[in-house]
Amino acid sequence: SQELEQSPQSLIVQEGKNLTINCTSSKTLYGLYWYKQKYGEGLIFLMMLQKGGEEKSHEKITAKLDEKKQQSSLHITASQPSHAGIYLCGADVFGSGNTGKLIFGQGTTLQVKP
Amino acid sequence: GAVVSQHPSRVICKSGTSVKIECRSLDFQATTMFWYRQFPKQSLMLMATSNEGSKATYEQGVEKDKFLINHASLTLSTLTVTSAHPEDSSFYICSAGGQGVSTDTQYFGPGTRLTVL
């Protein structure tokens, strides 16, 4: 079974609608990273969360990490076609001493219809 | 901010040949680099951890003789796919880390698309 579960796997929304992507771990998340990827291209860093209950926002994207540090959500407000792409959550589940190794969720493919 | 480059960005080769992919940290020293593989419409799977000056650590199921990793300096790690076959066709991405490197961002290269004919 996947250590990091991401849902939904795909999402089609109408432009202007809000959406949420979830990332759930069976282990403690010592660091949780959200990325956006266009197919066949590199990763675009969005946000990183470390503390339980932490919330960060950038433009219309908000990411949260729950108090138990096992679940994170990415919320997009008033979606635009430019938000389309693949969203990946990456997690440090190794803790102290980890020098950057991450495991990844399966990804969520987002389409935004004009 | 820190930048990680990869070369080449795309490579097409014949079955049976070997292909080398370079991952460079451009403005910082990365004692550790990580190699990931991504198949179409799938997530990133960690292949191995590359440590400067020592042997790489491979994840379960990854053939170390097939995917040779060399981390000869603090700014360069190479992944060589030996005797490549069509099933090795994939998108390979590296990331740089290590002691003293901020983990706030995680520095990923732009990826290399390998197509084996």
Side-chain angles (χ1 to χ4, degrees):
Chain A
S1 64
Q2 193 83 12
E3 285 186 68
L4 204 60
E5 292 281 347
Q6 202 173 324
S7 64
Q9 287 191 1
S10 64
L11 199 51
I12 303 173
V13 300
Q14 202 68 38
E15 183 177 358
K17 296 294 185 184
N18 303 337
L19 64 106
T20 300
I21 300 168
N22 294 299
C23 184
T24 303
S25 172
S26 57
K27 300 180 179 180
T28 299
L29 300 169
Y30 294 97
L32 191 286
Y33 302 77
W34 283 100
Y35 296 92
K36 182 184 174 186
Q37 184 185 31
K38 291 281 176 77
Y39 179 68
E41 298 181 11
L43 305 181
I44 300 169
F45 171 78
L46 296 175
M47 270 169 278
M48 183 257 190
L49 304 164
Q50 271 188 314
K51 300 175 185 174
E54 188 174 9
E55 180 175 321
K56 288 185 178 178
S57 293
H58 178 67
E59 297 180 343
K60 294 185 177 180
I61 300 177
T62 300
K64 300 178 185 179
L65 182 62
D66 74 335
E67 290 287 348
K68 291 174 66 176
K69 294 174 62 174
Q70 285 190 289
Q71 185 171 16
S72 178
S73 61
L74 186 80
H75 185 77
I76 299 177
T77 304
S79 58
Q80 300 169 354
S82 60
H83 288 128
I86 302 166
Y87 288 82
L88 290 161
C89 62
D92 171 6
V93 298
F94 308 99
S96 175
N98 183 28
T99 52
K101 184 163 72 171
L102 301 181
I103 60 170
F104 282 86
Q106 308 98 308
T108 296
T109 301
L110 171 64
Q111 292 181 55
V112 180
K113 290 191 170 181
Chain B
V3 177
V4 176
S5 70
Q6 272 185 250
H7 178 79
S9 56
R10 291 178 160 297
V11 57
I12 300 173
C13 69
K14 292 183 179 179
S15 186
T17 60
S18 294
V19 175
K20 182 186 284 189
I21 302 169
E22 294 184 348
C23 177
R24 292 182 186 273
S25 57
L26 298 183
D27 56 0
F28 67 101
Q29 294 183 330
T31 54
T32 308
M33 288 185 176
F34 304 94
W35 287 96
Y36 296 84
R37 179 169 55 182
Q38 184 180 35
F39 290 109
K41 300 192 177 181
Q42 294 187 26
S43 190
L44 276 70
M45 297 299 295
L46 180 66
M47 298 175 66
T49 301
S50 167
N51 299 297
E52 188 268 335
S54 64
K55 290 183 179 180
T57 305
Y58 291 83
E59 296 299 306
Q60 193 172 10
V62 178
E63 300 174 58
K64 60 181 181 181
D65 294 329
K66 173 77 171 175
F67 300 98
L68 300 179
I69 291 173
N70 185 286
H71 195 154
S73 77
L74 288 171
T75 59
L76 174 64
S77 175
T78 59
L79 169 68
T80 301
V81 183
T82 61
S83 186
H85 289 97
E87 57 266 30
D88 298 322
S89 297
S90 189
F91 192 57
Y92 293 87
I93 306 180
C94 68
S95 74
Q99 295 296 336
V101 176
S102 170
T103 56
D104 285 355
T105 305
Q106 283 294 336
Y107 306 108
F108 280 86
T112 296
R113 178 155 303 284
L114 169 64
T115 303
V116 184
L117 302 175

